Amino acid sequence: QIQVSQVKDGKVVYEKEDFQVSTEAMNAKPGVAYRYRIRYYNKDGYGSDAAKVYGNWSGYRYFAMPAISGKRTVSAIKIKLKKMDCIKGYDVFLKIVKGAKSPQGKMMLGVSPIKNFKATGWKKTKTLGKKATQLTIKNAKKGKRYYVRVVPKIYVDGKVVKNDLETWVSK
C-alpha cells in the first residue's frame, strides 16, 4: 500500500494498494512537494473474504517536480522556474554531448528517478535560491546537445531532505 500526501499541508492525494505507481497515476503536479510512505500487507486466509493484515508504515520519503520550461537560443539555454512551496532552493546539473544536433526552440521536458550524477558525466553547475525564477546558461555552442537537470531541495521541519525525483530539459 502506498500513501502520498502534500508536504505543505499533509493532505493525502493518493492511497492505493498497488505495486506499480507513477507520478501520472497519482496525478502529481509540477510545482508541488510530496511525501510518500509504504507498508506491506498480507491476506489472512484464502478467497475474497480473507482479511488483510497490515504491517507498519515506512518512514516518509520525498519528491518534488519543479514546474520548468526551457528554450534554446543561438548562444544560450534559458530555463524558467515557477515558485514552489516547501523548497529551499535548487541544484542544477549540466551534461553536454558533443556532435548531437540541437536546433533552437522549445526544449524537451522529463522527470525521472535521481541518478548518480558523477558516474554519468553530470556536473553540478549552480545552486539557486528558493526565489529563483529563471536560469540562463550562456555560451551554448552549435553541434552540442545540452541536458539540464533541476533538483529541488525540499525543506521539511527545518532541514533539507533527499528528493527522489529530478526534472530535466534537453535540447
Side-chain angles (χ1 to χ4, degrees), residues 1 4 12 17 26 31 44 51 55 74 88 91 112 117 121 123 126 134 136 140 144 150 153 158 164:
Q1 181 178 29
V4 180
V12 174
E17 294 170 353
M26 68 179 78
D44 187 15
V74 174
K88 189 74 167 178
D91 287 331
S112 58
F117 294 119
K123 292 183 181 175
K126 293 186 183 229
Q134 62 185 5
T136 301
K144 295 182 180 181
V150 179
K153 295 190 274 184
D164 287 342

Side-chain angles (χ1 to χ4, degrees), residues 14 117 146:
Y14 182 85
F117 294 119
Y146 289 76

